[in-house]
């Protein structure tokens, strides 16, 4: 019984792979399925680039420029309200990032920020004491910067001067330090 099945399979394989029938059978199969195979291959090549492409995650990207030297660290704090703004960031800012300095620029990426109004304070903490050092007249001795281009005029800017609206998407901003 098995010999009969093996013989039939052998004949089929011989017919398929023999020189006379090979060109015609393979050619017919290829001709019938070439167009659908082409489109299927094209779809599989296109899918990873479009269907599974990563989208940017909601985040607040802050680029710090004009860092005077590589001493100390850069601290970037996001305030949700005017409480503690700008000098009590270690106690009142809900989001704080600190990084060592390497070069004249630094970058921070805050995620998990809900839409709303915020203000940012950046300091160049050269002596790692967690605060912006000032001289006896209250003038900063270390670098500082605020969101929305808020400036120091006789005193630190108010929260409303540095306030900006975040819509929950991707927001990129640049803050240049002043010394």
């Amino acid at each position: 019984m098995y010999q009969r099945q093996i013989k039939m399979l052998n004949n089929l394989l011989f017919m398929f792979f023999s020189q006379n029938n090979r060109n015609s059978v393979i050619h017919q199969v290829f001709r019938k399925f070439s167009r659908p195979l082409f489109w299927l291959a094209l779809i599989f090549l296109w899918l990873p680039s479009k269907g599974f492409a990563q989208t940017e995650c909601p985040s607040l990207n802050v680029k710090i420029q004009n860092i005077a030297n590589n001493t100390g660290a850069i601290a970037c704090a996001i305030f949700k309200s005017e409480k503690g703004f700008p000098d009590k960031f270690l106690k009142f800012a809900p989001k704080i990032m600190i990084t060592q300095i390497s070069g004249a620029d630094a970058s921070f990426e805050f995620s998990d920020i809900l839409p709303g109004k915020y203000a940012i304070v950046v300091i160049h903490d050269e002596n790692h004491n967690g605060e912006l050092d000032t001289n006896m007249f209250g003038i900063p001795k270390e670098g500082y910067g605020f969101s929305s281009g808020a400036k120091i005029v006789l005193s630190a800017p108010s929260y409303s001067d540095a306030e900006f609206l975040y819509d929950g998407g991707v927001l990129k901003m640049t803050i240049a330090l002043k010394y």
Side-chain angles (χ1 to χ4, degrees):
M1 177 122 160
Y2 289 114
Q3 290 178 0
R4 188 171 164 205
Q5 291 172 342
I6 291 173
K7 190 174 184 180
M8 284 176 42
L9 183 62
N10 225 1
N11 287 338
L12 257 165
L13 289 172
F14 178 76
M15 189 173 80
F16 184 74
F17 288 107
S18 71
Q19 192 64 23
N20 295 338
N21 290 329
R22 185 173 70 181
N23 289 339
S24 63
V25 171
I26 292 174
H27 184 68
Q28 288 172 1
V29 169
F30 181 74
R31 197 164 208 226
K32 185 173 184 178
F33 293 108
S34 65
R35 188 167 286 165
L37 285 175
F38 169 76
W39 288 110
L40 187 64
L42 192 62
I43 287 170
F44 279 118
L45 289 173
W46 176 76
L47 243 171
S49 67
K50 297 294 181 191
F52 302 114
Q54 288 185 344
T55 58
E56 287 192 78
C57 294
S59 62
L60 180 58
N61 301 302
V62 184
K63 183 175 182 181
I64 312 303
Q65 295 179 324
N66 197 31
I67 301 172
N69 58 56
N70 288 339
T71 306
I74 296 290
C76 184
I78 298 180
F79 283 84
K80 179 76 174 147
S81 70
E82 59 192 39
K83 188 173 183 179
F85 183 86
D87 56 343
K88 305 282 188 228
F89 63 89
L90 288 177
K91 188 172 182 181
F92 294 105
K95 297 275 187 178
I96 302 170
M97 288 185 145
I98 300 172
T99 188
Q100 291 299 115
I101 302 169
S102 61
D105 296 336
S107 294
F108 297 95
E109 182 175 347
F110 294 94
S111 56
D112 300 329
I113 305 287
L114 297 174
K117 292 182 180 180
Y118 296 95
I120 294 179
V121 176
V122 179
I123 70 162
H124 179 181
D125 188 10
E126 293 185 48
N127 58 2
H128 292 286
N129 67 350
E131 56 188 49
L132 182 63
D133 295 332
T134 58
N135 64 17
M136 62 186 214
F137 300 110
I139 298 171
K141 296 192 297 184
E142 297 175 313
Y144 61 90
F146 302 97
S147 54
S148 299
K151 297 181 185 338
I152 290 181
V153 180
L154 299 179
S155 68
S158 67
Y159 176 83
S160 60
D161 291 339
E163 191 177 57
F164 64 93
L165 183 63
Y166 175 63
D167 65 3
V170 175
L171 178 63
K172 297 179 181 188
M173 68 171 55
T174 302
I175 298 175
L177 293 183
K178 310 245 186 308
Y179 289 86

